[in-house]
């Protein structure tokens, strides 16, 4: 798992790569929450390179989502691989997250 | 590998270097020493030749004086012809080196004496005799000693010869032409000669001592050996006949240069027949007589001092190198002796004895550093082992607790099959295969009010004890809630409300919960974010339930869940599973996938509940091929026999 932070306009884009599973969920949580707590209220999680997510990983997405809701901020996901999109669909998470096909549409929405 | 010591390596390298250094130094030294010796020898030799030649010249020039004076006297007519014999006699009597003297006149110089007039005095034993030479049988005018000075108008030293009459003495004759005024004109009138013994010459030459066996020799202007330590050569051989005899062209060449009057000091280009080894030669001419003197230096003697020096040097160096080796060996042994002790200590430490005594180091060098590192390592190892023991026991405790947790988890879910022997409508089989860590999968089923069959399968996010606790809570809540509420959506909503409150850890559970009316076969279900189960219509097709639009329980307490329903026919089967099945992963990271699930189901459409699960398990094992299982694998099959 690897995360990279880039600024794109008013958005903080976190590029997630690799696998997010039980072994590194904590690490992932810290990386993302650091961005959240840095005061940014517009975050895009770019999942182009995310090729596996376990339920522990989903939990972190959820924590971030809830935190952003509490901050009245905005969290968007984009560029999910089909397998990951499937997991979001199966778990019903697609209904609570704003998911976009790519970063551009995420930003312009 | 052959065992070698550090000192061996150091000595080998140092010796190698020293020997190389010595060879270079020695070569340079040898080259220059040889050059110096050659130069010194040359200088000495030139000096020696000069002195020797001077000595000879002194005698010869002295000898030349007498006939020259006589010639002058005759020219000035100081002496009458009658006093010639007494004059010569008295000259011989005061000069022991003179053996004879002639004053030979031109034919008919004194008409009263006829054709020949040559007064002659000579030694005969101890007495001095005299006679008048010249006879029809001895026409002295034609002798070399007369002819050559006459023609050249110059004094002339004859080739040496043995005087057979005078006791076999090596002699040479010096002839000086003299002139008188005839008709007012200076006219050649005869020759004055002296015979001089060359005994002294041989003595001077043999007195020349060169090194141990070096020697000097003298050649006449024709190359005849006049003086040589090998007396057989004297007057019997020329340098050229010797050269021819022993086949040494170099000697002939040297001979040629010598009689040409050249001077040189060089390595001889020839070998001598009677003097072995390489030779050096110095030669120089005698100015008066045009003879040439050679001095022979045996090379081995010439460089003997150098060779002696070399041997001394070699012995010194060998002794030096041996001493050096011994000293290095001692030093290195002293320096490295603690290393051996360290090695022993390390071996003991490796064997687990961390408190082994380290060798004492008194010096403040790298050895001390090593000692410090060792003792640091000892301390660290000791601490590490203590910590390891602690953590191991803690880990063992945790592991045992986890095992117990897993056992408790497993004991919470029903695992007696068939579960309802007295309920013919339901045939059911289920498995939960835990991953290494305690997981959060669950399944459960029970009968409500005797006519409704409630079942659930779920998966708690995360793993470990928190997940299993959450799972236990979920399972308990589902059971207790469904005591009062029979509508799946109501059960899930109630569950969601309970677990969402104070869910600071944000854990959640996906859940598929169904309530089957055993009489009608009507199945009402709510899917809270769980993998859609598969419905297998008896003897027909199998298909997956639609994906849910409801999120897992535990996220938002006010979330509204709904339900769907489907009517089951007798023999219809449900296959429920968790993501541990669809996401079973092999070493290449490939997931098992829903397609595989559907295919296996389609291939085993008539299989019994346990049979299908066994089949599915086998296929999953085949797919993961020994790769570590990362998530619980839970499956449940329910057949409705309405």
């Amino acid at each position: 798992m690897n995360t990279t932070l880039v600024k794109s306009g008013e958005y903080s884009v976190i590029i997630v790569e690799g696998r997010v599973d039980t072994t590194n969920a904590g690490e992932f949580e810290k990386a993302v929450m650091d961005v959240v707590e840095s005061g940014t209220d517009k975050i895009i999680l770019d999942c182009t390179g995310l090729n596996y997510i376990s339920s522990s990983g989903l939990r972190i997405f959820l924590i971030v989502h809830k935190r952003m809701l509490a901050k009245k901020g905005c969290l968007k996901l984009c560029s999910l691989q089909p397998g990951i999109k499937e997991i979001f669909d199966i778990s019903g998470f697609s209904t609570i997250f704003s998911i976009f096909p790519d970063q551009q549409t995420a930003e312009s929405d | 590998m052959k065992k070698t010591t550090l000192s061996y390596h150091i000595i080998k390298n140092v010796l190698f270097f020293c020997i190389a250094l010595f060879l270079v130094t020695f070569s340079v030294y040898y080259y220059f020493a040889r050059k110096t010796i050659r130069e010194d020898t040359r200088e000495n030799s030139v000096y020696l030749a000069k002195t020797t030649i001077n000595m000879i010249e002194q005698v010869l020039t002295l000898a030349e004086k007498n006939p020259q004076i006589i010639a002058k006297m005759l020219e000035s007519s100081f002496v009458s012809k009658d006093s010639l014999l007494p004059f010569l006699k008295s000259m011989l009597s005061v000069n022991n080196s003179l053996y004879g003297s002639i004053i030979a006149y031109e034919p008919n110089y004194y008409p009263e004496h006829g054709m020949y007039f040559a007064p002659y005095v000579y030694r005969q034993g101890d007495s001095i005799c005299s006679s008048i030479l010249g006879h029809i049988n001895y026409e002295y005018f034609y002798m070399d000693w007369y002819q050559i000075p006459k023609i050249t108008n110059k004094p002339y030293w004859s080739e040496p010869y043995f005087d057979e009459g005078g006791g076999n003495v090596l002699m040479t004759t010096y002839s000086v032409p003299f002139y008188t005024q005839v008709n007012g004109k200076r006219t050649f009138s005869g020759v004055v000669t002296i015979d001089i013994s060359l005994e002294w010459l041989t003595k001077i030459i043999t007195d020349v001592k060169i090194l141990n066996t070096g020697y000097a020799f003298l050649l006449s202007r024709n190359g005849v050996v006049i003086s040589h330590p090998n007396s057989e050569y004297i007057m019997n051989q020329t340098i050229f006949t010797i050269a021819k005899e022993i086949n040494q062209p170099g000697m002939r060449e040297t001979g040629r240069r010598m009689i040409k009057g050249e001077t040189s000091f060089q390595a001889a280009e020839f070998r001598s027949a009677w003097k072995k080894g390489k030779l050096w030669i110095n030669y120089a001419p005698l100015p008066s007589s045009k003879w040439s003197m050679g001095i022979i230096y045996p090379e081995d003697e010439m460089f003997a001092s150098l060779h002696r020096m070399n041997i001394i040097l070699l012995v010194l160096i060998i002794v030096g190198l041996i001493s050096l080796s011994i000293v290095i060996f001692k030093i290195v042994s002293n320096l490295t002796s603690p290393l051996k002790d360290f090695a022993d200590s390390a071996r003991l430490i490796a064997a687990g004895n961390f408190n082994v005594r380290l060798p004492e180091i008194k010096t403040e060098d790298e050895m001390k550093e090593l000692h410090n590192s060792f003792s640091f390592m000892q301390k660290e190892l000791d601490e590490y082992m203590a910590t390891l023991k602690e953590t191991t026991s803690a880990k063992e405790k945790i592991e045992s607790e986890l095992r117990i947790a897993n056992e408790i988890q497993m004991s919470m879910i029903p695992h007696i099959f068939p579960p309802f022997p007295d309920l013919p409508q339901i045939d059911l089989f289920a498995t939960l295969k835990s991953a290494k860590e305690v997981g959060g999968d669950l399944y459960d089923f029970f009968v409500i009010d005797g006519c409704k069959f409630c079942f659930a399968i779920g998966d708690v996010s995360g793993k470990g004890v928190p997940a299993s606790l959450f799972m236990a809570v979920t399972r308990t809540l589902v059971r207790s809630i469904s005591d009062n509420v029979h509508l799946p959506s109501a059960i899930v909503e109630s569950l969601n409300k309970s677990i969402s409150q104070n869910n600071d850890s944000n854990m959640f559970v996906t859940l598929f919960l169904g309530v089957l009316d055993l009489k009608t076969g009507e199945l009402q279900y709510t899917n809270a974010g769980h993998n859609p189960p598969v419905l297998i219509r008896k003897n027909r097709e199998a298909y997956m339930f639609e994906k849910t639009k409801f999120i897992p329980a535990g996220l938002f307490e006010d979330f509204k869940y709904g339900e769907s329903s489907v009517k089951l026919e007798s023999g219809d089967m449900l296959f429920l599973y968790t993501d541990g099945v669809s996401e079973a992963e092999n070493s290449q990271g490939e997931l098992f996938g829903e397609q595989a699930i559907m295919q296996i189901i389609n291939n085993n459409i008539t299989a019994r509940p346990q049979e299908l699960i066994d089949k599915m398990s086998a296929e999953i094992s085949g797919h993961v091929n020994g790769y570590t299982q990362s998530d619980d694998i839970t499956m449940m099959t329910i057949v409705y026999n309405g």
Side-chain angles (χ1 to χ4, degrees):
Chain A
M1 194 277 300
N2 188 32
T3 58
T4 322
L5 176 68
V6 288
K7 287 275 177 192
S8 177
E10 49 186 343
Y11 286 93
S12 295
V13 181
I14 302 170
I15 299 165
V16 192
E17 286 167 307
R19 303 163 57 94
V20 179
D21 55 24
T22 322
T23 58
N24 56 28
E27 194 187 330
F28 176 63
E29 177 176 0
K30 188 180 177 308
V32 179
M33 287 309 278
D34 279 352
V35 178
V36 173
E37 299 306 333
S38 71
T40 320
D41 58 357
K42 282 175 187 282
I43 292 177
I44 295 176
L45 283 169
D46 183 339
C47 303
T48 316
L50 177 68
N51 40 39
Y52 177 82
I53 186 156
S54 75
S55 55
S56 309
L58 287 177
R59 190 178 138 248
I60 309 307
F61 272 70
L62 188 75
I63 290 169
V64 176
H65 177 67
K66 282 191 165 179
R67 182 78 191 105
M68 292 305 285
L69 278 184
K71 282 178 70 177
K72 304 227 181 303
C74 146
L75 173 70
K76 293 175 178 177
L77 311 188
C78 74
S79 315
L80 273 65
Q81 292 181 13
I84 306 296
K85 182 71 168 61
E86 178 81 5
I87 289 167
F88 274 76
D89 288 345
I90 287 173
S91 60
F93 272 36
S94 305
T95 60
I96 50 173
F97 284 100
S98 313
I99 299 175
F100 297 88
D102 53 59
Q103 192 186 324
Q104 208 176 2
T105 33
E107 280 180 37
S108 57
D109 185 75
Chain B
M1 204 179 83
K2 201 177 147 219
K3 196 184 168 189
T4 53
T5 61
L6 200 56
S7 41
Y8 168 79
H9 284 298
I10 294 175
I11 289 170
K12 194 179 82 180
N13 291 330
V14 169
L15 281 194
F16 194 77
F17 175 75
C18 283
I19 289 170
L21 192 69
F22 161 69
L23 282 179
V24 171
T25 315
F26 182 77
S27 304
V28 172
Y29 153 78
Y30 185 80
Y31 173 78
F32 284 107
R34 215 182 138 89
K35 202 175 158 191
T36 309
I37 287 177
R38 204 168 56 222
E39 275 306 304
D40 286 354
T41 313
R42 196 181 65 77
E43 273 172 31
N44 283 340
S45 166
V46 166
Y47 175 75
L48 184 67
K50 210 169 158 187
T51 345
T52 313
I53 287 168
N54 278 347
M55 279 166 75
I56 297 169
E57 284 292 292
Q58 223 169 7
V59 178
L60 291 181
T61 38
L62 200 66
E64 282 174 352
K65 292 282 183 247
N66 286 318
Q68 280 167 6
I69 290 167
I70 294 169
K72 288 282 174 210
M73 285 165 67
L74 292 171
E75 202 167 333
S76 332
S77 304
F78 283 159
V79 210
S80 69
K81 72 176 166 60
D82 297 328
S83 59
L84 285 175
L85 274 175
F87 176 75
L88 291 180
K89 266 187 180 175
S90 58
M91 184 179 77
L92 248 66
S93 65
V94 295
N95 199 335
N96 286 331
S97 63
L98 298 182
Y99 268 65
S101 184
I102 304 171
I103 300 173
Y105 282 87
E106 277 282 274
N108 296 314
Y109 186 84
Y110 289 111
E112 63 271 35
H113 289 289
M115 186 75 163
Y116 318 101
F117 182 66
Y120 175 42
V121 293
Y122 59 97
R123 284 180 202 278
Q124 180 92 49
D126 289 335
S127 56
I128 297 167
C129 308
S130 65
S131 70
I132 303 293
L133 289 180
H135 191 264
I136 189 83
N137 292 328
Y138 184 67
E139 296 195 308
Y140 56 81
F141 326 112
Y142 304 114
M143 305 305 247
D144 276 359
W145 58 263
Y146 191 92
Q147 279 285 316
I148 293 170
K150 180 184 173 184
I151 294 162
T152 61
N153 282 329
K154 275 179 188 160
Y156 166 72
W157 280 99
S158 77
E159 282 289 287
Y161 56 92
F162 274 115
D163 172 52
E164 276 151 25
N168 255 358
V169 185
L170 187 64
M171 308 272 278
T172 183
T173 298
Y174 182 64
S175 321
V176 181
F178 68 88
Y179 305 85
T180 49
Q181 300 292 329
V182 178
N183 303 328
K185 199 175 158 199
R186 192 170 179 266
T187 313
F188 173 75
S189 307
V191 169
V192 182
T193 75
I194 48 150
D195 300 333
I196 172 169
S197 155
L198 293 182
E199 290 285 279
W200 56 272
L201 189 67
T202 314
K203 193 171 177 314
I204 287 175
I205 297 291
T206 44
D207 275 352
V208 175
K209 285 286 169 219
I210 298 118
L211 307 171
N212 285 340
T213 61
Y215 59 90
F217 64 94
L218 202 62
L219 296 183
S220 78
R221 80 186 76 187
N222 291 333
V224 175
V225 179
I226 302 169
S227 176
H228 195 280
N230 182 3
S231 53
E232 283 174 21
Y233 285 167
I234 298 173
M235 296 308 292
N236 292 328
Q237 299 267 31
T238 67
I239 189 165
F240 306 109
T241 56
I242 297 169
K244 196 174 177 189
E245 218 167 74
I246 59 172
N247 193 23
Q248 291 287 334
M251 188 187 279
R252 195 170 60 228
E253 187 50 40
T254 307
R256 247 179 230 145
R257 284 200 220 110
M258 284 177 77
I259 62 172
K260 259 164 92 186
E262 288 178 15
T263 304
S264 177
F265 176 78
Q266 63 184 96
E269 292 155 343
F270 55 85
R271 294 298 175 106
S272 164
W274 77 288
K275 179 84 206 138
K276 286 201 167 31
K278 270 188 85 176
L279 304 173
W280 286 67
I281 187 166
N282 179 19
Y283 50 84
L286 277 67
S288 60
S289 55
K290 306 283 187 290
W291 298 339
S292 182
M293 189 179 71
I295 303 174
I296 292 289
Y297 292 83
E299 189 181 78
D300 52 352
E301 287 170 22
M302 201 165 125
F303 295 111
S305 60
L306 181 62
H307 293 153
R308 203 164 46 243
M309 203 65 179
N310 288 349
I311 288 167
I312 292 170
L313 212 60
L314 201 69
V315 169
L316 281 179
I317 279 161
I318 288 170
V319 169
L321 289 180
I322 290 171
S323 324
L324 186 67
S325 304
I326 293 169
V327 169
I328 291 174
F329 178 77
K330 289 270 181 205
I331 292 173
V332 172
S333 299
N334 262 341
L335 285 177
T336 58
S337 65
L339 280 183
K340 209 185 149 300
D341 299 336
F342 274 127
D344 293 341
S345 303
R347 218 166 281 130
L348 285 173
I349 291 172
N353 185 2
F354 301 132
N355 296 320
V356 66
R357 243 176 74 85
L358 292 177
E360 227 171 88
I361 306 294
K362 290 183 185 115
T363 52
E364 289 292 330
D365 53 11
E366 289 87 343
M367 242 1 127
K368 186 74 184 175
E369 267 176 46
L370 185 64
H371 179 274
N372 292 345
S373 304
F374 252 81
S375 71
F376 181 69
M377 181 182 81
Q378 268 185 320
K379 198 169 131 271
E380 288 290 299
L381 272 176
D382 204 24
E383 280 171 16
Y384 174 72
M385 283 312 283
T387 321
L388 191 65
K389 264 183 205 156
E390 252 171 54
T391 47
T392 309
S393 69
K395 194 169 167 245
E396 272 167 10
K397 199 170 153 218
I398 289 169
E399 269 173 8
S400 116
E401 281 170 1
L402 278 176
R403 203 179 58 248
I404 294 165
N406 190 29
E407 278 165 15
I408 293 170
Q409 183 194 9
M410 292 306 284
S411 71
M412 278 181 166
I413 55 173
H415 45 269
I416 298 165
F417 299 100
F420 310 111
D422 50 350
L423 199 66
Q425 293 96 324
I426 295 294
D427 188 2
L428 183 148
F429 189 78
T431 60
L432 193 162
K433 194 176 159 204
S434 292
K436 197 177 165 211
E437 269 185 275
V438 181
D441 277 14
L442 74 125
Y443 68 84
D444 198 9
F445 46 81
F446 45 90
V447 179
I448 312 170
D449 291 348
C451 61
K452 292 204 169 164
F453 177 70
C454 180
F455 60 90
I457 186 163
D459 181 5
V460 175
S461 64
K463 289 197 186 74
V465 174
S468 72
L469 282 176
F470 205 80
M471 169 257 174
V473 169
T474 305
R475 186 250 176 203
T476 314
L477 281 172
V478 167
R479 284 235 177 181
S480 61
I481 293 165
S482 45
D483 277 349
N484 309 316
V485 190
H486 298 164
L487 200 62
S489 60
I491 298 171
V492 175
E493 241 167 58
S494 178
L495 169 74
N496 179 49
K497 206 175 191 74
S498 298
I499 60 178
S500 295
Q501 286 166 352
N502 305 320
N503 182 9
D504 292 336
S505 62
N506 281 297
M507 295 189 73
F508 57 87
V509 56
T510 69
L511 193 73
F512 184 95
L513 187 131
V515 176
L516 175 66
D517 191 313
L518 292 173
K519 286 193 191 106
T520 61
E522 164 118 6
L523 171 66
Q524 287 187 302
Y525 62 90
T526 294
N527 185 350
H530 196 78
N531 299 66
V534 183
L535 174 58
I536 305 153
R537 294 293 190 182
K538 192 189 179 187
N539 298 333
R540 279 191 284 151
E541 84 280 48
Y543 58 87
M544 258 187 193
F545 281 59
E546 75 283 7
K547 278 176 196 159
T548 182
K549 52 186 187 294
F550 303 124
I551 61 170
L555 301 177
F556 302 98
E557 61 180 289
D558 298 324
F559 193 83
K560 294 291 169 207
Y561 290 90
E563 65 239 301
S564 310
S565 71
V566 61
K567 188 160 164 47
L568 301 187
E569 304 295 335
S570 180
D572 286 355
M573 179 155 76
L574 285 168
F575 175 76
L576 303 104
Y577 60 94
T578 59
D579 58 5
V581 175
S582 56
E583 289 170 20
E585 207 179 1
N586 67 10
S587 57
Q588 276 89 51
E590 292 161 352
L591 304 183
F592 190 59
E594 286 167 3
Q595 276 190 341
I597 295 172
M598 289 310 291
Q599 194 174 352
I600 292 158
I601 289 171
N602 281 319
N603 291 347
N604 300 278
I605 203 101
T606 58
R608 301 305 308 148
Q610 184 170 358
E611 206 183 332
L612 180 62
I613 285 176
D614 289 346
K615 206 84 196 171
M616 199 64 78
S617 296
E619 291 284 344
I620 293 166
S621 300
H623 172 75
V624 300
N625 194 21
Y627 191 65
T628 317
Q629 181 190 338
S630 60
D631 202 358
D632 292 353
I633 293 174
T634 306
M635 291 179 275
M636 179 157 73
T637 47
I638 304 166
V639 175
Y640 171 65
N641 297 313

